[in-house]
Amino acid sequence: MIDTVQSKKKPKQAKVILAVSAHPDDVEFSAGGTMFKFIKKGYEIYFVIATNGENGFKIKDQPAKSRIKIRHDEQLKAAKILGVKKVFFLNRKDCFLKYDDKLRKELGLIIKKIKPEIVFSFDPSNHSFESVNVLHRDHRLIAEAAFDAVFAARNRYLLKGEPHAVKQFWFFGCDKPNYFENITAYINDKINLIKAHRSQFYDNESMSKWVKEHLSNYTKKYKYSEKFRIVNISQPFTKK
Ligand SMILES: [Zn+2]
């Protein structure tokens, strides 16, 4: 009898995270250490990379086609190091991302398909314009599109398929963080992850130094941390 009951049990669904970014390397720079911690907790992680990142390139000049290939390969290498389940490349042109219905739909359908509990992305509330890197136009646009796709995915009529309600946003690259993740134990893992994006920096030593300096400034509480604005998404009309 017990066997029968057990065999009817649905296998426990792993908790899922979707990280939505504009370019290969955005998540690694902004939240790489935190991603390692979630993997350790048993989460499945999926990436969406909206553009091909072909125009953010620091090593020698090459045609766009080969720059795209290099950036995709680097992203897949980093994803493998981290243990990402799948990378969805949306193949938009770097620095020319358009926020349109097509982008929102693509993101919303991915959300419905993989059913994340948490969505990571850039912070759509950022308006300081203090950093040309963090406030990059593609970052601003993907932040809004990811935010709106979460709404679309929980709606019954906007997109095909059963609605899915995401529970939390973890916004990175934020001006007004409300949470610091202690990644001191994962700093070398994070740096290894960034090393996979070899076209994005001149040498390992200066990159590691920059990352360490950067991540030690966010809060005095931890030696190295990543900063987020966490937003709980209210679920006012869920079924009992
Ligand atoms: Zn970027």
Side-chain angles (χ1 to χ4, degrees), residues 22-26 122 133 136 139:
H23 312 110
D25 84 8
D26 286 341
F122 284 98
N133 295 321
H136 188 294
H139 297 175

Side-chain angles (χ1 to χ4, degrees), residues 4-157:
T4 318
V5 172
Q6 281 181 339
S7 66
K8 279 184 181 169
K9 258 190 186 171
K10 268 190 184 173
K12 205 172 171 243
Q13 172 117 29
K15 289 186 170 188
V16 172
I17 281 174
L18 178 66
V20 182
S21 68
H23 312 110
D25 84 8
D26 286 341
V27 179
E28 289 83 340
F29 272 108
S30 310
T34 303
M35 291 287 150
F36 275 109
K37 289 183 87 169
F38 272 110
I39 290 262
K40 200 140 202 211
K41 282 188 207 163
Y43 278 76
E44 282 182 356
I45 295 182
Y46 294 80
F47 278 10
V48 171
I49 314 290
T51 80
N52 290 318
E54 70 273 27
N55 295 326
F57 208 75
K58 296 204 170 45
I59 54 174
K60 69 180 177 117
D61 291 348
Q62 315 201 21
K65 213 174 157 185
S66 59
R67 297 197 309 268
I68 291 170
K69 168 135 184 27
I70 287 171
R71 296 224 64 189
H72 279 212
D73 288 348
E74 288 174 348
Q75 183 59 77
L76 291 171
K77 191 176 170 190
K80 202 171 173 192
I81 293 169
L82 180 61
V84 169
K85 285 287 261 189
K86 184 178 167 130
V87 181
F88 296 90
F89 291 107
L90 304 188
N91 296 306
R92 304 301 202 273
K93 191 175 171 185
D94 186 10
C95 299
F96 292 85
L97 182 66
K98 280 197 191 94
Y99 175 16
D100 51 18
D101 289 346
K102 189 170 176 261
L103 180 62
R104 182 179 61 165
K105 183 178 174 184
E106 273 179 85
L107 293 172
L109 289 175
I110 291 170
I111 291 169
K112 283 192 163 188
K113 188 173 169 189
I114 66 161
K115 302 181 180 14
E117 177 186 311
I118 305 170
V119 168
F120 280 70
S121 195
F122 284 98
D123 191 339
S125 77
N126 276 8
H127 288 101
S128 71
F129 288 90
E130 282 171 355
S131 161
V132 289
N133 295 321
V134 178
L135 270 292
H136 188 294
R137 64 177 299 291
D138 293 348
H139 297 175
R140 300 190 322 258
L141 293 171
I142 197 66
E144 285 204 24
F147 185 85
D148 294 345
V150 164
F151 178 89
R154 58 193 264 146
N155 182 283
R156 187 162 294 280
Y157 303 108

